[in-house]
Amino acid sequence: EANLNFAINIKSIPINSYIDTNNSIASNSIDNQKVKNIIGSYYQTVQSENWNMLNNIYSQNINRFYDKFNISKSEAISLAKSYNNNLDSLNNTVLNTLKVEKSNLFTTASFIMDFSIIRKNKNKPSNFVLNIVMEIDSNGKISSVYENIINQN
């Protein structure tokens, strides 16, 4: 049986050694305008099928790419190509809902998107409202991108 009756001199705890005074969150995070530029470049690149440009947009290792986890940049580019091959055309509009959260490791951007596609398979839904989540590393590269379907028809 332990005796938990003890006292601590609060002044003797080295609190400053536990506090990050370098403000590393601010120095490693991406500003909101740069986040908007990265999102715009990403969708413009995918729509124009400029697959080589994705090499400059994606991080070397992708933590999450829609339903795939821990994949290489080249695998993410191949998946993006294959997704596009299943579509006749697409239209997307990023609604004015951008939320940006910053941490030491990455910046998370989430936004609502209207997404319409003309499918080869007419039995599948073609209009979606999506919640898109992107994680952007401190180098301004996309390390994760995935979606949550809010509505479809």
Side-chain angles (χ1 to χ4, degrees):
E1 183 174 321
N3 182 353
L4 298 179
N5 294 321
F6 61 90
I8 292 181
N9 181 352
I10 193 84
K11 292 181 181 180
S12 68
I13 297 175
I15 285 196
N16 287 337
S17 67
Y18 299 113
I19 299 174
D20 180 8
T21 57
N22 294 330
N23 200 7
S24 60
I25 290 176
S27 64
N28 286 338
S29 62
I30 308 295
D31 68 57
N32 287 11
Q33 187 56 50
K34 175 117 180 174
V35 169
K36 289 178 185 178
N37 292 343
I38 291 167
I39 292 168
S41 292
Y42 175 72
Y43 285 105
Q44 183 178 17
T45 300
V46 171
Q47 279 188 302
S48 65
E49 299 183 359
N50 187 352
W51 308 120
N52 289 331
M53 186 64 172
L54 284 179
N55 275 312
N56 299 326
I57 294 174
Y58 286 147
S59 179
Q60 196 61 37
N61 295 304
I62 308 296
N63 298 324
R64 182 173 177 185
F65 187 80
Y66 298 97
D67 61 345
K68 306 289 184 204
F69 294 87
N70 300 318
I71 63 172
S72 68
K73 178 194 311 193
S74 61
E75 188 175 352
I77 293 170
S78 294
L79 287 167
K81 285 180 189 177
S82 71
Y83 293 161
N84 239 32
N85 288 338
N86 291 327
L87 310 175
D88 285 335
S89 69
L90 66 89
N91 178 35
N92 57 26
T93 305
V94 176
L95 302 177
N96 209 7
T97 58
L98 179 65
K99 293 179 186 168
V100 178
E101 295 179 22
K102 301 172 183 188
S103 74
N104 283 340
L105 301 176
F106 48 81
T107 300
T108 302
S110 64
F111 51 93
I112 306 299
M113 173 189 286
D114 282 336
F115 183 79
S116 297
I117 55 178
I118 297 173
R119 292 185 183 263
K120 292 177 181 175
N121 181 345
K122 303 296 182 193
N123 294 325
K124 292 187 174 183
S126 59
N127 297 300
F128 301 87
V129 177
L130 304 173
N131 174 27
I132 306 291
V133 179
M134 282 188 186
E135 292 178 354
I136 302 167
D137 68 19
S138 60
N139 297 316
K141 307 291 184 185
I142 296 173
S143 59
S144 289
V145 59
Y146 56 95
E147 66 193 24
N148 300 303
I149 297 173
I150 297 172
N151 193 2
Q152 66 183 7
N153 58 39

